[in-house]
C-alpha cells in the first residue's frame, strides 16, 4: 500500500514538475503560451488552469512564444488591450508577451478575423489550427477578462471524462459584462464571528477564489450595522489619531491595531489579485444607542463610561473634527481602497441637525485628500441638501439604494411599495431625475429573507440583472448568505455551527451556497451563460442521474421566499433585523390576515378578496386564492422532483445531498404552509366582515391545515440544523429553530377555537390585542352585520389568469419629451373583454399611478388611448402597464409578473 501511495503521488505530481522543468518524467502533452511574468489576476487564472491539468494528470509546459511549443495541444493566453484597464485596484499589470497588444493571441485572432469586445473584462475563447496543432486562444481585453477566460477553461478541463481529451468540454465563447459591477457584501455584526474569518487567510483564499470563478468583481465589507457599538466608528480598530488622545477602542492594544490593519490590507490585496475591487462600508460615525444597539442586551443607551470592545471618546463636540482626521489617516493607511460607502442618516449616529454640516465638511476633506476615490452615499432618508453638497463639492459619488425594502422580493423594482413610509426609505423614490447628475447602484437585501436555506436560480438572477440597468445603473450588490449570523449576540459569544456534525461536508459554511454565488455572478456577467456551467457542477456533486432533479428543484424552490415577500408578507416585518420569512410563522392568523404584502399593485390582500366575494366584482390583481394555488402547485412540484432525485441518487447518499434535500423540503413546506394559511386568512376576513361563524369555521379548519404543514417543516428539518440558529434579535424571533414556532401556532389556534366556542354559547370570547377575540370586534368600518351570511371562499381554478387573455402589443421604448403618449393594443378573451385600463406615472415612486380607460378602436379587438403631454413630466422617464378584465370578472395585469418586469418603461428623448 505504501508503494501504491508513493506511485500515486508521483503520477499526480508529473504535470506540475513537467511544467516547472524540475522532474521531466514524461513529455508534456499540453503547451501553455503566455507571458512569463503576468499580472496578478492573470497569474491567478493560470494557476487554476495548471491545477486543473494536474488534477487530470496531464503534463504541460509553459513557454513565452508559440514557436517554442513542443506539443500538439496548445493554449495561447494573452491580452488584446493595454492590459491595465481591468486590473482591480489600479495597481497595473504586465502586458508581457502581448506587449502593446500585438502578441501571439492578437496575431492568431487577427488571422482568424476574430476579436475581443472593446470593453473592460471582456474575453474570447476560440479554437483554431496552427501548423497542424490544435490551438485554443484565450484572450482578454484586460487582465480580469483574461483571468475569466482561464478560469472558464480550467473548469471545463475539470469536466472532461476522458483524460486523453482534456479539451473535449471547451466551448468557443465571446463575452463582455452585462452588468458592470457585480458585488457581494458582508456585515461585521458580531466581533467573534467577524474575527474568526478576518484573521483566517485560508478562508479568504477560498472565498475570493469562489468570487473570481463566479465573476463577481466587487466585495464590500460593512463596519457598523446595529452592532451594539462595535466598530462605531471603525477607525480605532486599526489605529489611533494624533490630536485625539482620548478616542480609542477600549482594551485594544497597539499591537492588535497593527494586526488588524495588516490583515485588512492583506485582504484588499488578495481581492485585487483576483480582479475584485474592494469597498469598505462605514455605517456608524458615533455611537448613541437606540437602533444602533441592534437588540444586544444592555445596548439601548450609549455607555456613560468606557466599555471593553467599544469606542470611547467620540462626542458631539469632536465628532466632525475627529472623523475628518481619522478618515484622512484611514485612506493613507489603507491606500488601495476602491470605494467607501457611507451611511448618511440618523441611524449612523448623526443627529438630523448635524448631518448637513458634517457631510459638507467630509465631502470637502475627501475631495482634497483622495479626489478620485468613489464614495457611495446610501439613499435611506438622504436629504436633498446633502446630495446637492456632494454635487457642489464635486466628489466622485453615486447613490446606492435598496432594491426591495430590506427583503428579497420578485426580481423587479416594486410597482407600488407600502405607502406607510417614504419610498426613499425603501427604494429609489423620486431620485431617477433628468438631467442625470449622479449614478445609481442597486442593493438587494436578500440577507433578510434567505438567511440559511439554499437559494439560487439563473432565471431569477437574469431578471434581476436586467432590472439593474434602470437609470443606466452602475451595477448591483447582493448580501452573502448567512449575512446576519450572530447578529445581536454578545460580541464574545462563540459562533454557532450551522449544521450538526453528521451533515457537514464543507470546510467553511459559505461553500454550501455555491450555486447562489454562481447564479448571480455568472448571470450578472453574461445572461446567456451556457447552462452547462451549472449542469456540470450539479452532476459532479450529486451524480449524473440525480443532478437534474436536484437542480430543477432548487431553481423552483428559489422563488418561494420571494413570492411570500412580494404577495403576503406583513409590512412590519420588512427590516432585516426584524423579519425572517424562512423561519417565522408571521404572527397569529388574525394578524396574518391583515398583511398587505410588499407590492400593493400586483397582489390583492386577504381583505380585498373578502370584500370582492361579499360585494361581487373582480380585480386585475393576483388574488390570494390564485396565489394560494401557485404556492400549492410549487410545493408539490418541489417534492416530486426531490422524490425523483432520491430514487436516482443510488445507495450512497452524500452529506451534501441530504442537507440539500432538507432545504428543499423546508421550502416546499413553507410554500404549502402559506398556501393553506392564505385561504384561512381570506375566510377569517370574511368572518370579520360578516360575523358568519361558518367563515370562522373555515378559517379554523384552514389554520389547522397550515399548522399541519408547519409540522411537516419541522419533520423535514429534523436534526440537520443546530437547535439555535442565532440570526438576529432573540425577542424579535430571529433565533431558534422551526420547531419553536409550533407552540405559538397551537396557542393561536386554541384562541380561535375559544372564540368559536364563545360564539356558539352566544357570547364573544375576550382576548388581547393580538388575539382572535379582539379581532372579532376590530373589523373596522367594513365590518358587516352579524346576521350577514358570508359567501363561500372558492379555491382558484388557476394560478395565472394571463392565460385567459390574448394580448398583442409592441412596448413603446422611447417618446420625445413634450409629446403626448398614444397607445394601441390588440386584446381578446374567450369570455369577452369587459374593460381595459392604462395605468401610468413618471418613474417616480412618490407619485400615484394614474388610470385611463382604453376604448375600442375602429379595428376589431383594438383598444386605444392617449395620455396628454401635460401629464408627462420630462424630469423623469415614463412607465405604464395594462389592467384587463373579462366578462367573467377575471382579470390580469400586463406585463405578466410571473415572467417579466410587470411594467414597461419609456425613455424620454430630451
Amino acid at each position: 500500500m505504501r508503494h501504491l501511495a508513493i506511485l500515486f503521488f508521483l503520477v499526480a505530481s508529473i504535470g506540475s514538475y513537467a511544467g516547472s522543468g524540475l522532474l521531466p518524467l514524461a513529455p508534456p502533452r499540453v503547451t501553455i503560451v503566455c507571458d512569463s511574468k503576468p499580472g496578478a489576476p492573470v497569474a491567478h487564472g493560470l494557476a487554476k488552469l495548471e491545477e486543473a491539468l494536474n488534477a487530470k494528470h496531464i503534463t504541460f509546459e509553459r513557454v513565452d512564444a508559440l514557436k517554442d511549443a513542443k506539443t500538439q495541444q496548445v493554449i495561447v493566453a494573452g491580452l488584446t488591450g493595454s492590459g491595465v484597464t481591468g486590473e482591480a485596484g489600479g495597481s497595473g499589470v504586465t502586458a508581457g508577451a502581448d506587449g502593446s497588444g500585438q502578441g501571439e493571441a492578437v496575431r492568431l485572432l487577427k488571422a482568424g478575423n476574430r476579436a475581443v469586445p472593446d470593453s473592460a473584462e471582456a474575453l474570447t475563447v476560440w479554437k483554431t489550427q496552427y501548423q497542424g496543432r490544435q490551438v485554443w486562444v484565450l484572450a482578454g481585453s484586460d487582465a480580469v477578462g483574461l483571468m475569466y477566460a482561464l478560469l472558464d477553461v480550467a473548469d471545463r478541463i475539470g469536466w472532461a471524462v476522458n483524460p486523453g481529451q482534456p479539451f473535449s468540454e471547451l466551448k468557443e465563447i465571446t463575452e463582455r459584462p452585462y452588468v458592470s459591477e457585480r458585488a457581494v457584501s458582508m456585515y461585521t455584526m458580531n466581533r467573534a464571528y467577524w474575527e474568526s474569518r478576518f484573521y483566517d487567510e485560508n478562508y479568504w483564499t477560498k472565498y475570493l477564489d469562489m468570487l473570481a470563478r463566479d465573476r463577481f468583481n466587487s466585495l464590500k465589507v460593512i463596519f457598523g450595522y446595529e452592532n451594539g457599538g462595535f466598530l462605531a466608528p471603525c477607525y480605532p480598530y486599526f489605529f489611533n489619531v494624533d490630536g485625539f488622545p482620548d478616542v480609542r477602542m477600549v482594551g485594544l492594544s497597539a499591537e492588535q491595531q497593527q494586526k488588524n490593519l495588516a490583515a485588512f490590507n492583506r485582504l484588499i490585496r488578495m481581492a485585487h489579485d483576483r480582479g475584485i475591487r474592494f469597498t469598505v462600508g462605514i455605517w456608524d460615525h458615533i455611537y448613541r444607542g437606540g437602533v444602533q444597539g441592534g437588540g444586544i442586551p444592555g445596548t439601548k443607551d450609549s455607555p456613560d463610561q468606557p466599555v471593553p470592545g467599544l469606542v470611547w471618546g467620540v462626542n458631539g463636540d469632536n465628532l466632525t473634527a475627529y472623523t475628518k482626521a481619522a478618515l484622512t489617516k484611514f485612506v493613507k493607511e489603507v491606500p488601495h481602497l476602491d470605494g467607501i460607502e457611507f451611511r448618511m442618516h440618523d441611524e449612523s449616529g448623526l443627529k438630523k441637525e448635524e448631518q448637513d454640516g458634517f457631510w459638507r465638511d467630509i465631502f470637502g476633506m475627501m475631495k482634497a485628500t483622495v479626489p478620485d476615490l468613489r464614495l457611495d452615499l446610501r439613499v435611506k432618508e438622504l436629504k436633498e441638501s446633502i446630495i446637492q453638497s456632494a454635487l457642489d463639492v464635486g466628489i466622485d459619488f453615486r447613490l446606492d439604494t435598496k432594491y426591495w425594502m430590506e427583503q428579497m422580493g420578485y426580481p423587479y423594482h416594486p410597482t407600488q411599495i407600502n405607502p406607510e413610509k417614504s419610498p426613499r426609505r425603501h427604494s429609489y423614490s423620486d431620485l431617477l431625475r433628468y438631467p442625470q447628475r449622479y449614478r445609481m447602484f442597486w442593493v438587494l437585501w436578500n440577507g433578510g429573507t434567505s438567511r440559511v436555506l439554499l437559494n439560487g436560480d439563473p432565471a431569477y438572477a437574469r431578471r434581476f440583472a436586467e432590472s439593474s440597468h434602470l437609470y443606466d445603473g452602475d451595477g448591483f450588490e447582493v448580501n452573502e448568505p448567512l449575512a446576519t449570523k450572530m447578529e445581536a449576540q454578545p460580541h464574545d459569544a462563540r459562533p454557532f455551527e450551522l449544521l450538526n456534525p453528521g451533515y457537514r461536508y464543507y470546510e467553511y459554511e459559505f461553500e454550501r451556497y455555491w450555486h447562489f454565488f454562481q447564479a448571480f455572478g455568472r448571470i450578472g456577467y453574461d445572461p446567456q451563460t451556457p447552462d452547462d456551467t451549472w449542469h456540470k457542477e450539479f452532476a459532479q456533486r450529486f451524480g449524473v442521474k440525480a443532478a437534474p432533479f436536484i437542480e430543477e428543484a432548487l431553481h423552483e424552490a428559489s422563488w418561494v421566499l420571494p413570492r411570500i415577500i412580494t404577495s403576503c408578507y406583513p409590512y412590519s416585518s420588512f427590516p432585516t433585523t426584524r423579519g425572517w420569512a424562512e423561519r417565522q410563522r408571521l404572527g397569529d392568523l388574525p394578524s396574518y390576515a391583515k398583511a398587505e404584502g410588499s407590492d400593493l399593485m400586483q397582489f390583492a390582500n386577504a381583505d380585498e378578496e373578502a370584500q370582492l366575494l361579499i360585494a361581487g366584482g373582480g380585480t386585475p390583481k393576483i388574488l390570494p386564492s390564485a396565489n394560494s394555488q401557485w404556492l400549492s402547485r410549487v410545493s408539490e412540484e418541489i417534492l416530486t422532483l426531490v422524490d425523483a432525485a432520491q430514487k436516482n441518487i443510488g445507495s450512497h447518499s452524500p452529506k451534501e445531498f441530504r442537507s440539500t434535500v432538507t432545504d428543499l423540503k423546508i421550502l416546499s413546506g413553507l410554500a404549502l404552509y402559506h398556501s393553506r394559511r392564505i385561504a384561512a386568512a381570506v375566510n377569517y376576513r370574511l368572518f370579520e366582515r360578516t360575523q358568519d361563524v361558518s367563515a370562522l369555521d373555515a378559517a379554523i379548519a384552514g389554520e389547522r391545515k397550515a399548522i399541519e404543514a408547519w409540522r411537516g417543516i419541522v419533520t423535514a428539518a429534523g436534526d440537520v440544523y443546530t437547535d439555535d440558529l442565532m440570526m438576529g434579535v432573540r425577542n424579535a424571533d430571529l433565533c431558534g429553530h422551526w420547531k419553536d414556532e409550533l407552540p405559538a401556532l397551537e396557542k393561536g389556534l386554541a384562541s380561535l377555537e375559544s372564540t368559536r366556542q364563545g360564539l356558539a354559547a352566544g357570547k364573544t370570547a375576550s382576548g388581547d390585542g393580538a388575539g382572535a377575540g379582539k379581532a372579532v370586534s376590530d373589523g373596522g368600518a367594513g365590518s358587516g352585520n352579524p346576521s350577514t351570511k358570508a359567501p363561500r371562499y372558492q379555491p382558484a381554478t388557476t394560478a395565472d389568469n394571463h392565460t385567459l387573455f390574448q394580448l398583442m402589443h409592441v412596448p413603446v421604448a422611447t417618446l420625445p419629451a413634450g409629446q403626448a403618449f398614444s397607445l394601441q393594443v390588440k386584446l381578446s378573451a374567450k369570455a369577452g373583454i369587459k374593460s381595459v385600463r392604462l395605468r401610468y406615472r413618471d418613474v417616480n415612486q412618490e407619485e400615484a399611478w394614474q388610470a385611463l380607460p382604453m376604448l375600442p378602436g375602429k379595428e376589431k379587438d383594438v383598444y386605444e388611448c392617449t395620455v396628454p403631454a401635460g401629464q408627462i413630466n420630462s424630469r423623469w422617464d415614463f412607465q405604464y402597464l395594462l389592467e384587463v378584465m373579462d366578462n367573467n370578472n377575471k382579470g390580469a395585469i400586463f406585463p405578466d409578473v410571473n415572467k417579466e418586469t410587470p411594467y414597461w418603461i419609456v425613455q424620454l428623448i430630451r
Side-chain angles (χ1 to χ4, degrees):
M1 289 297 293
R2 183 171 177 269
H3 294 88
L4 287 174
I6 293 172
L7 178 62
F8 177 79
F9 173 80
L10 289 173
V11 171
S13 303
I14 285 174
S16 56
Y17 281 131
S20 63
L22 294 176
L23 186 64
L25 295 178
R29 293 167 49 197
V30 172
T31 299
I32 302 172
V33 181
C34 65
D35 178 24
S36 60
K37 295 181 180 180
V42 178
H44 173 72
L46 286 167
K48 292 301 179 183
L49 174 62
E50 292 177 0
E51 284 180 18
L53 291 169
N54 281 329
K56 292 292 183 180
H57 314 306
I58 297 168
T59 55
F60 60 88
E61 63 176 358
R62 283 265 300 267
V63 299
D64 292 342
L66 188 55
K67 63 181 177 60
D68 297 325
K70 300 181 179 68
T71 71
Q72 294 301 303
Q73 298 185 96
V74 181
I75 294 173
V76 176
L79 302 172
T80 61
S82 67
V84 177
T85 56
E87 176 76 359
S91 56
V93 59
T94 304
D98 290 290
S100 62
Q102 301 301 314
E104 303 281 23
V106 171
R107 182 164 58 83
L108 290 169
L109 288 172
K110 283 186 176 180
N113 198 27
R114 297 296 182 103
V116 176
D118 185 20
S119 66
E121 302 180 353
L123 65 92
T124 286
V125 176
W126 175 57
K127 180 181 178 181
T128 187
Q129 294 287 323
Y130 178 79
Q131 295 183 354
R133 294 184 172 97
Q134 180 191 86
V135 178
W136 282 91
V137 180
L138 281 56
S141 63
D142 54 31
V144 178
L146 179 53
M147 179 190 72
Y148 290 157
L150 288 160
L151 294 176
D152 185 77
V153 169
D155 280 343
R156 292 178 177 279
I157 288 173
W159 300 342
V161 176
N162 183 353
Q165 297 179 318
F167 300 158
S168 60
E169 297 292 335
L170 269 61
K171 283 189 174 181
E172 292 186 298
I173 54 174
T174 294
E175 296 179 293
R176 65 195 306 169
Y178 178 67
V179 178
S180 59
E181 182 168 344
R182 308 167 298 281
V184 171
S185 61
M186 60 174 58
Y187 301 127
T188 55
M189 289 179 153
N190 177 271
R191 182 174 181 178
Y193 179 49
W194 159 243
E195 291 183 346
S196 72
R197 302 189 288 171
F198 186 38
Y199 302 132
D200 186 348
E201 189 168 350
N202 183 61
Y203 177 93
W204 293 116
T205 296
K206 286 199 161 190
Y207 195 98
L208 296 170
D209 281 359
M210 176 192 66
L211 294 187
R213 181 189 183 202
D214 294 328
R215 302 191 187 175
F216 281 99
N217 63 0
S218 183
L219 175 65
K220 179 189 295 179
V221 174
I222 297 168
F223 293 141
Y225 172 35
E226 301 195 18
N227 289 14
F230 175 55
L231 300 172
C234 63
Y235 316 111
Y237 189 65
F238 300 107
F239 50 73
N240 293 330
V241 179
D242 292 342
F244 298 89
D246 296 331
V247 179
R248 66 192 190 281
M249 179 173 281
V250 180
L252 195 69
S253 68
E255 291 74 21
Q256 288 172 310
Q257 288 176 315
Q258 291 169 7
K259 176 184 177 181
N260 292 340
L261 184 61
F264 198 53
N265 279 315
R266 181 187 66 209
L267 171 56
I268 295 171
R269 184 183 68 252
M270 292 175 70
H272 287 171
D273 287 349
R274 292 159 176 81
I276 299 167
R277 297 188 286 274
F278 194 96
T279 298
V280 60
I282 300 176
W283 281 22
D284 281 349
H285 312 295
I286 182 173
Y287 184 57
R288 284 171 166 154
V291 70
Q292 292 176 284
I296 299 174
T299 62
K300 183 178 180 180
D301 300 314
S302 57
D304 55 6
Q305 60 184 356
V307 175
L310 302 189
V311 174
W312 178 258
V314 180
N315 54 55
D317 294 331
N318 66 11
L319 170 61
T320 300
Y322 170 75
T323 303
K324 289 169 64 178
L327 259 175
T328 299
K329 186 170 183 177
F330 187 73
V331 296
K332 179 180 179 181
E333 296 291 339
V334 189
H336 299 301
L337 280 173
D338 299 290
I340 298 178
E341 179 192 54
F342 289 123
R343 203 178 201 188
M344 309 297 292
H345 70 309
D346 55 309
E347 290 181 14
S348 70
L350 297 176
K351 297 177 181 178
K352 284 184 170 56
E353 61 270 21
E354 293 172 330
Q355 292 169 20
D356 281 281
F358 178 88
W359 289 117
R360 185 169 53 250
D361 284 356
I362 295 300
F363 294 158
M365 181 277 297
M366 296 298 286
K367 177 68 173 178
T369 307
V370 278
D372 297 327
L373 184 66
R374 189 200 72 243
L375 304 183
D376 292 348
L377 314 184
R378 294 200 60 235
V379 161
K380 184 177 180 180
E381 298 178 12
L382 178 61
K383 295 181 179 180
E384 285 290 340
S385 56
I386 294 175
I387 297 175
Q388 189 59 50
S389 286
L391 292 167
D392 292 343
V393 172
I395 59 171
D396 178 10
F397 79 99
R398 66 185 181 188
L399 304 182
D400 68 3
T401 190
K402 298 169 186 172
Y403 183 81
W404 195 292
M405 300 165 47
E406 293 183 14
Q407 300 291 333
M408 182 181 185
Y410 259 37
Y412 65 91
H413 301 277
T415 322
Q416 182 181 338
I417 60 178
N418 194 299
E420 187 173 323
K421 300 286 186 180
S422 165
R424 194 167 290 196
R425 180 180 177 89
H426 298 315
S427 192
Y428 59 79
S429 184
D430 62 345
L431 291 168
L432 309 189
R433 300 181 287 244
Y434 292 91
Q436 187 169 353
R437 300 190 295 169
Y438 44 73
R439 308 182 307 279
M440 296 294 293
F441 186 67
W442 307 104
V443 183
L444 180 65
W445 285 53
N446 52 289
T449 301
S450 187
R451 297 180 193 244
V452 301
L453 298 178
L454 296 175
N455 174 280
D457 178 35
Y460 182 103
R462 191 171 290 114
R463 286 177 56 180
F464 172 69
E466 179 185 12
S467 70
S468 74
H469 286 295
L470 181 65
Y471 203 62
D472 295 324
D474 228 24
F476 67 73
E477 172 189 318
V478 294
N479 300 145
E480 65 170 353
L482 302 175
T484 66
K485 180 176 176 178
M486 295 300 293
E487 192 262 329
Q489 309 310 310
H491 284 293
D492 58 354
R494 181 178 179 180
F496 67 90
E497 295 284 353
L498 182 67
L499 302 186
N500 285 317
Y503 299 95
R504 295 177 202 153
Y505 53 90
Y506 44 75
E507 182 177 5
Y508 299 107
E509 288 171 348
F510 74 81
E511 294 174 278
R512 78 184 297 259
Y513 302 98
W514 60 270
H515 191 48
F516 168 87
F517 291 100
Q518 186 182 57
F520 278 100
R522 292 301 299 264
I523 291 296
Y525 179 87
D526 182 3
Q528 304 308 315
T529 296
D531 290 343
D532 63 357
T533 304
W534 31 90
H535 291 340
K536 296 290 186 178
E537 185 82 17
F538 276 96
Q540 287 184 333
R541 291 171 178 268
F542 303 112
V544 174
K545 292 183 178 180
F549 301 106
I550 288 292
E551 179 183 338
E552 186 177 352
L554 179 56
H555 291 172
E556 190 92 14
S558 295
W559 289 86
V560 170
L561 293 171
R563 183 80 173 205
I564 292 166
I565 294 296
T566 305
S567 64
C568 60
Y569 197 66
Y571 176 76
S572 60
S573 296
F574 90 84
T576 285
T577 53
R578 288 298 178 269
W580 186 8
E582 277 180 336
R583 202 204 64 78
Q584 292 174 340
R585 72 190 190 282
L586 301 182
D588 292 338
L589 182 62
S591 298
Y592 183 90
K594 293 179 180 178
E596 294 184 314
S598 55
D599 190 331
L600 307 186
M601 197 157 179
Q602 297 293 331
F603 290 86
N605 60 50
D607 193 52
E608 287 178 274
E609 182 157 15
Q611 292 184 64
L612 288 171
L613 287 169
I614 293 168
T619 177
K621 297 180 183 181
I622 297 173
L623 286 168
S625 54
N627 195 32
S628 172
Q629 209 270 356
W630 186 94
L631 288 162
S632 177
R633 174 180 58 79
V634 169
S635 173
E636 185 177 348
E637 288 175 354
I638 294 169
L639 290 183
T640 299
L641 290 164
V642 166
D643 182 61
Q646 289 174 319
K647 290 177 180 176
N648 283 277
I649 193 63
S651 57
H652 176 64
S653 176
K655 291 180 180 180
E656 183 173 12
F657 180 82
R658 297 201 298 273
S659 69
T660 299
V661 163
T662 295
D663 282 21
L664 293 173
K665 287 182 175 179
I666 291 172
L667 287 163
S668 170
L670 285 167
L672 184 61
Y673 167 76
H674 286 281
S675 169
R676 293 175 174 179
R677 214 175 198 212
I678 285 169
V682 177
N683 277 308
Y684 191 80
R685 294 302 294 174
L686 282 170
F687 164 64
E688 286 190 311
R689 289 190 169 276
T690 65
Q691 299 295 289
D692 186 338
V693 294
S694 67
L696 179 58
D697 289 339
I700 292 171
E703 183 73 347
R704 286 197 191 103
K705 290 181 179 179
I707 294 172
E708 179 185 349
W710 197 272
R711 288 195 183 96
I713 293 172
V714 174
T715 299
D719 64 346
V720 175
Y721 283 93
T722 185
D723 284 343
D724 192 8
L725 296 163
M726 292 180 281
M727 302 301 292
V729 182
R730 191 169 296 278
N731 63 14
D733 204 19
L734 294 176
C735 293
H737 191 274
W738 290 272
K739 62 187 176 184
D740 300 333
E741 293 286 70
L742 275 176
L745 281 166
E746 289 164 350
K747 182 179 178 181
L749 177 62
S751 180
L752 289 171
E753 291 171 336
S754 175
T755 295
R756 180 64 179 90
Q757 292 169 3
L759 291 171
K763 61 182 181 179
T764 300
S766 62
D768 61 25
K774 172 67 175 176
V776 167
S777 60
D778 198 26
S783 295
N785 187 293
S787 63
T788 302
K789 182 173 177 58
R792 186 176 178 183
Y793 168 82
Q794 294 288 347
T797 56
T798 178
D800 186 6
N801 282 348
H802 292 86
T803 58
L804 303 176
F805 301 90
Q806 294 78 49
L807 173 69
M808 293 180 62
H809 172 53
V810 177
V812 180
T814 60
L815 179 73
Q819 182 173 305
F821 177 75
S822 295
L823 189 68
Q824 189 178 81
V825 302
K826 190 170 185 178
L827 180 72
S828 62
K830 186 175 181 180
I833 298 298
K834 179 179 181 180
S835 66
V836 184
R837 282 205 311 176
L838 173 70
R839 300 297 302 275
Y840 64 93
R841 72 176 181 190
D842 301 318
V843 184
N844 176 359
Q845 292 173 324
E846 300 283 359
E847 294 182 3
W849 284 84
Q850 304 300 311
L852 187 64
M854 296 192 70
L855 303 177
K858 295 179 180 179
E859 298 180 30
K860 182 182 179 182
D861 296 333
V862 170
Y863 297 84
E864 53 194 21
C865 68
T866 297
V867 178
Q871 293 186 24
I872 302 173
N873 191 328
S874 62
R875 291 192 70 198
W876 292 273
D877 283 334
F878 183 75
Q879 62 185 147
Y880 70 101
L881 55 82
L882 301 175
E883 294 180 339
V884 301
M885 298 293 302
D886 72 8
N887 289 320
N888 290 334
N889 280 329
K890 301 291 185 182
I893 295 174
F894 287 94
D896 182 355
V897 69
N898 296 298
K899 298 177 181 178
E900 58 186 314
T901 295
Y903 45 79
W904 293 289
I905 290 181
V906 183
Q907 290 187 320
L908 297 191
I909 302 172
R910 298 169 177 85

